[in-house]
Amino acid sequence: MANLVDQMSAAESAKDVYRLEQRMLREMKENITDQCVQCVKCTAGCPAMKLLELHPHEIMALFNLGFTEELLRSEVIWTCLTCFKCKERCPQKVAPVDVILLLRSIAVARGTPPPAGFASVLQALMDRGIIQEPVEVMLKSVKTGKKRFSDRSGCSLPAASRPKDLEKFKEAFTNALVQAMSEEGT
Amino acid sequence: MKYALYLGCAITTEAYSYEMSARETLSRLGVEFVDFEGASCCGVTIRSINPFAFLYLSARNIALGEATGLDIMTFCTGCRMTLLEAKHVLDHNEKMKERVNAVLASEGLEYRGTSQVKHILELLHDIIGLEKIRSSLVRTFPGLKVVPHYGCHAIRPSGIGPQDDPEDPQKLDDLIRLLGAEAPYYPQKLDCCGAPLLLKNDNAAFTLSGQKVKSIQDYGFNAIVTICPSCQKMLDTQDICGRTIGATLNVPTLYYTQLLGLAMGTDPDRLGLGMNISPVKRIIEWGKTTAPA
Ligand code: SF4
Ligand code: SF4
């Protein structure tokens, strides 16, 4: 897996990535996060607050104070559920979730491996374009109680749609992955 | 009513009962689907680690759907949000569209932005409409208390496409009441199923789903309906989330299309109801086996 993350971070010279990062972070700060008034409404509704101690308002404060490096290294940015409640509810139209997601992508672009689950999903997409091969499921008849394992066709479903030319897909997907941190950013 | 059907990963590879029940019920309501070839993941899971690759994956699937000349229909809320977000970016940022199209070109694809992206909740509630659905029903569920689980990505973020109220959604509530069941309010209505945490901390993920099901069970409600394969999996596998929070959970949990199919009189096996893990038999038999006094 390391090779995929490496590929993404090796796309641009370290200096270019650094310059781009700084620009993205500055824009995020100037355009959005400066408006945060620390009302804590975001944290009050955050589903990861109690369980995982994710406090979006604190992330905003730290971000605005310039603790970017600390945030990039912290585990807590990976606990966000992307429920978008904080974005919806913020009275200042600030979106902690957007900052959290930007921090994640910068961390990965620098070569920090994402949590194992993310890495294996990325590898699976690279290998086949979809997350897993269609599995056989236990099909229990409600009427007769009979059990059998069944694939899609056993469920009277058409064959799974998936990339036709996997090599071409892989080439394009790799191309997209390495472009992530190039000039225009997202 | 004809759509290009984009199923995404979870439904294509695992959540067959959602697809079975959706195809079954929607075809009875006059909806036709074109199953286009070549689809890939929508990109939802890599959205936060590689924003450009996420845009590329979503655009790729939209481009394939667009080639049919039809609007695109999704059943998964994750796919819905992801495709709509990508569409929003690409339709408002010409430069980004060019960059994405440069990558798509190697597979002979082009994102044009000519098709709308829709989700089954909008299809049922706003496009087909309550009246038409009502006329297809042969059975109702009087007294059945069914709580809706919308799923975060069915209703947020706002501003990317047509959707329900992000803070007080009502469309699934309406669709439940349409079947003669009750749709009581519960304070945990907007709580997340926990699925996105599976990639980082599955114990925390199942704690969130377990807590949600537990509160619904404690209120004494009879069933949960979902409109997303990930939410359904989190809330239906109550052996796992129950164990995680140290509780015995048994609240029947089913896709809205499964409940709708039952109300249409469809054979439960054609709705994949034998695949649900929670005790849905109670719902299948609701009102049918009134024991003599
Ligand atoms: S809700 Fe908005 S303004 Fe209030 S603390 Fe959170 S980010 Fe800041
Ligand atoms: S999007 Fe993330 S930070 Fe915001 S409320 Fe949801 S879990 Fe918390």
Side-chain angles (χ1 to χ4, degrees), chain B residues 174-190:
Chain B
D174 290 347
L175 287 164
I176 290 169
R177 289 192 196 102
L178 181 69
L179 310 183
E182 294 168 31
Y185 173 77
Y186 63 121
Q188 292 78 4
K189 184 172 174 180
L190 296 183

Side-chain angles (χ1 to χ4, degrees), chain A residues 8 47 51-52 75 78-79 81-85 88-89 101 104-105 108 114-115 117-118 121-122 125 129-135 137-143 150-152 155 157-158 160-164 168-169 172-173 175-177 179-180 182 184-186, chain B residues 7 9 11-14 16 19-20 23 35-41 45-53 55-57 60 81 95-96 99 103 106-107 152-153 156-158 166-167 190-192 194 196-197 199-201 204 207-208 267-269 273-275 284:
Chain A
M8 279 155 55
L51 207 53
L52 299 161
E75 284 248 335
W78 295 97
T79 59
L81 287 134
T82 66
C83 76
F84 292 95
K85 277 187 194 153
E88 212 63 57
R89 292 179 180 176
L101 298 188
R104 282 188 194 177
S105 64
V108 173
F118 286 85
V121 160
L122 190 54
L125 296 190
I130 51 177
I131 249 156
Q132 60 180 358
E133 289 300 323
V135 301
V137 297
M138 172 68 82
L139 198 61
K140 198 173 122 215
S141 167
V142 174
K143 260 182 306 189
S150 177
D151 57 8
R152 288 183 59 86
C155 295
L157 297 172
S161 179
R162 54 198 307 168
K164 266 188 275 185
K168 267 195 181 161
F169 168 80
F173 187 46
N175 189 0
L177 284 171
Q179 279 200 33
S182 70
E184 286 302 318
T186 46
Chain B
L7 292 167
C9 294
I11 297 175
T12 299
T13 66
E14 201 172 44
Y16 305 145
E19 188 177 344
M20 289 163 80
R23 285 185 190 269
D35 292 288
F36 58 86
E37 286 189 342
S40 54
C41 171
T45 43
I46 62 159
R47 182 185 183 283
S48 70
I49 59 174
N50 195 313
F52 186 73
L55 276 183
Y56 156 73
L57 283 178
R60 185 182 177 281
M81 175 196 71
K95 241 187 179 163
M96 192 56 76
R99 279 188 66 203
V103 182
S106 64
E107 279 193 282
C152 301
H153 298 162
R156 285 185 299 271
S158 56
E167 292 290 353
L190 296 183
D191 284 6
C192 175
L197 265 181
L199 296 177
K200 154 85 180 143
N201 180 339
T207 302
L208 286 176
D267 176 351
D269 283 334
L273 276 157
M275 285 183 233
I284 298 170

Side-chain angles (χ1 to χ4, degrees), chain A residues 42 45-48 54 56 80-86 97 100:
Chain A
C42 49
C46 176
L54 172 60
C80 166
L81 287 134
T82 66
C83 76
F84 292 95
K85 277 187 194 153
C86 56
V97 57
I100 292 168

